[in-house]
Amino acid sequence: MDIIDFNKPNSVKKVKVVKKIVTQVPTINKQQQNKEFYNKALEKIIQLLKENNPSLATQNNIQLEKPQIDRLGTKKTLWKNFDSICIQMNREAQHVSQYLLIEMGTEGSLADEKLIIKGRYTSTQIETLIKKYLQEYVLCSLCMSSATILIRDVESRLYSKECKNCKATKTVATLKISNKKQK
């Protein structure tokens, strides 16, 4: 007859599994591991950017003056600091004025570093158009830098903006000249 020992476990396999569960260190779930890895990789990329190309690592916001708008009679608007805003954007006054007049659907003229616009406009309306102009013709679409230049290809008559920081180029919309003469 076999002697039954109650102190001895019935199965050695069960004991090993229980020991594994008890001695096992609590693991971090996959999502936390991925997040930690992502954050470390992001910190490393930012560090390399700062070391190798500091102009790309820092975000430069373009600071423009607020447009100084006055009424010129009852049917015209005078933009006093137009030329200084064009200089801050690093764009030709002729190109900016042509864009604004097309967007407004009106006529106007440049006189003594000022823009005279036919119609009554507020500074908020003009600020909105400046923001659109910045997005389309000034800011780099990749690094959002304002350090860009506008180049016109003579053969194809297309404009392209080239970023000085990341060297990206993008073709931008050509301004459609209206049939009306600008005064």
Side-chain angles (χ1 to χ4, degrees), residues 32-136:
Q32 283 179 325
Q33 285 177 335
N34 289 342
K35 192 174 184 179
E36 288 175 9
F37 176 76
Y38 174 80
N39 288 335
K40 286 179 184 176
L42 186 62
E43 287 173 10
K44 182 70 174 173
I45 289 170
I46 291 171
Q47 177 189 358
L48 288 172
L49 267 174
K50 286 180 181 176
E51 290 172 4
N52 298 327
N53 198 348
S55 61
L56 281 179
T58 58
Q59 187 175 13
N60 298 331
N61 291 337
I62 187 166
Q63 296 291 326
L64 297 177
E65 296 176 33
K66 197 171 177 88
Q68 295 174 357
I69 305 299
D70 276 343
R71 301 254 186 259
L72 200 72
T74 57
K75 296 183 180 181
K76 290 186 181 179
T77 304
L78 177 67
W79 185 353
K80 291 181 182 178
N81 61 344
F82 176 74
D83 198 49
S84 64
I85 289 178
C86 292
I87 290 169
Q88 290 171 354
M89 289 191 297
N90 194 25
R91 293 295 179 262
E92 293 178 11
Q94 186 66 32
H95 188 264
V96 178
S97 68
Q98 189 176 8
Y99 173 82
L100 292 169
L101 294 174
I102 289 170
E103 285 293 314
M104 291 177 189
T106 188
E107 297 177 356
S109 62
L110 285 170
D112 298 328
E113 301 176 357
K114 298 173 186 164
L115 181 65
I116 300 170
I117 307 166
K118 187 176 181 182
R120 297 178 78 177
Y121 297 96
T122 62
S123 62
T124 53
Q125 290 172 318
I126 291 176
E127 285 175 18
T128 305
L129 290 173
I130 292 172
K131 288 176 186 175
K132 280 179 65 177
Y133 183 84
L134 286 171
Q135 286 296 322
E136 181 67 29

Side-chain angles (χ1 to χ4, degrees), residues 89-91 137-140 145-150 161-164:
M89 289 191 297
N90 194 25
R91 293 295 179 262
Y137 294 99
V138 178
L139 296 176
C140 176
S145 170
S146 63
T148 59
I149 55 174
L150 201 58
K161 62 181 172 184
E162 183 178 311
C163 182
K164 293 178 184 176

